[in-house]
Amino acid sequence: MKTRIYKQDDLENKLVQEDIKKTLLQGGNVIFPTETVYGIGAYALSEKGIKGIYEVKGRPSDNPLIMHVTSIEDVKKYTKEHMSYVETLMENFWPGPMTLVLKKKDIVPNMITGGLDSVGMRIPGHHIAKKVIEIAGVPICAPSANISGRPSATLFEHVLEDFKDKVDIIIDGGKSEVGLESTVIDVTREFPVILRPGVITKDMIEKLSIEVKENQEIDKSDVPKAPGMKYRHYAPKGQLIIVDGKLEDVISYMNQKIIEHTEKGLKTGIICTEDTKNRFPSAFAISIGNIENEEEIASNLFLTLRHMDKHDIDYIYSISFHQGKYSEAIMNRLMKAANYNVIQLDT
Ligand code: AMP
Ligand code: MG
């Protein structure tokens, strides 16, 4: 298969629009940028299209897909009645990086929900994502555009690495600004439960006078199902280790490790911030951003992991991020990428 590549301006071209629509309706796959990460899209009611996503990503079939639409009316076409607080969430955070898990109507195929009776729905805010769904005129399932287990793609180049000539169409929309996947919130009960943290945070929801819980706060016998969470995610090729503790101790520890690995002929990479990147003279140190700027850190996380892969780094040490409103979302991804491998230096 030869992938057709379009740029943002091409979406105004009638022939390109027809190609995108026809491809999706006939069960093909189109990758497009969203504000969170790039998504690999298929017509939600096309068995062929959905199968294509699972196959090309290598995604386990019980990990459900999020359905993307462009209006709240469309959400209601596919989901059952919901509590009144759900309306408030929709009105405040859509279009945007929030997915709501709602009770599904029968029209939603079990294939996209991993057999659950609920479905994740999102109205994306990115103009290209909206345009693609409008062109298709149908709901589009769009999980992150990465081979399963790999870091999500936030750059066109990273989409190409995983999917060139494996999908019908890729749309180049530059960098996905948010850089972390949507906040997934289960709203099938009296109070919302955050299944996956993101840049729509618990605090932001509480500001609307809505009581919200995090997955880990829920009684284990009553844990909402989020099948995707049990799988390995975001993993770089090298071994990622998070180092936590006082900054100076962390820097010394990492420099010691760099020496040990270098002696064995192994390459070490360091994920640090702007203010510390000069403290690792003999390693491949990447600044993920300014320590004060959590938007920047979130936005650069996945591309930094992929950058380490490009340089064939064997061991990657990352500082941990405990400051700022996105720290939970950032650490959630980083911990999974590291397979929960954390060195705690505090005594
Ligand atoms: P991705 O599309 O790759 O960002 O992954 C979608 C995430 O949403 C996964 O963690 C899924 O487990 C979660 N998700 C999607 N639909 C549901 C659902 N109906 N119930 C619970 N979690 C869901
Ligand atoms: Mg994903």
Side-chain angles (χ1 to χ4, degrees), residues 44-45 54 61 64-67 74-83 86 90 100-122 139 141 185-189:
L45 308 185
Y54 280 103
S61 61
L65 306 179
I66 295 168
M67 224 162 111
D74 278 350
V75 172
K76 290 179 182 170
K77 274 190 212 159
Y78 299 98
T79 58
K80 292 184 179 162
E81 284 280 292
H82 48 251
M83 319 278 165
V86 179
M90 290 175 173
L100 296 181
V101 172
L102 291 144
K103 289 271 176 215
K104 79 174 190 74
K105 285 188 180 159
D106 289 345
I107 176 178
V108 177
N110 287 330
M111 205 177 164
I112 69 172
T113 67
L116 299 174
D117 61 359
S118 59
V119 60
M121 301 283 312
R122 181 160 100 87
C141 282
I185 311 173
D186 177 7
V187 294
T188 60
R189 54 183 76 215

Side-chain angles (χ1 to χ4, degrees), residues 6 31 39 60 76 106 119 189 211 266 296 306 313:
Y6 297 129
I31 295 183
K76 290 179 182 170
D106 289 345
V119 60
R189 54 183 76 215
E211 189 204 343
L266 297 168
E296 190 183 15
R306 281 185 179 251
I313 303 294

Side-chain angles (χ1 to χ4, degrees), residues 57 59 144 146 152 181 196 233-234:
K57 270 183 67 85
R59 186 175 175 104
S144 52
N146 53 276
S152 305
E181 305 87 341
R196 175 173 73 186
H233 267 84
Y234 319 124

Side-chain angles (χ1 to χ4, degrees), residues 242 320-322 327-336:
I242 301 169
S320 47
F321 302 92
H322 296 302
S327 58
E328 205 187 335
I330 293 166
M331 286 311 286
N332 168 276
R333 306 317 190 272
L334 200 57
M335 291 286 274
K336 284 184 183 179

Side-chain angles (χ1 to χ4, degrees), residues 31-81:
I31 295 183
F32 55 87
T34 85
E35 69 274 35
T36 57
V37 298
Y38 273 73
I40 172 166
Y43 171 26
L45 308 185
S46 158
E47 198 173 304
K48 181 169 172 231
I50 300 302
K51 223 168 140 211
I53 287 184
Y54 280 103
E55 273 173 18
V56 76
K57 270 183 67 85
R59 186 175 175 104
S61 61
D62 67 347
N63 189 0
L65 306 179
I66 295 168
M67 224 162 111
H68 294 68
V69 293
T70 53
S71 71
I72 293 178
E73 293 79 76
D74 278 350
V75 172
K76 290 179 182 170
K77 274 190 212 159
Y78 299 98
T79 58
K80 292 184 179 162
E81 284 280 292

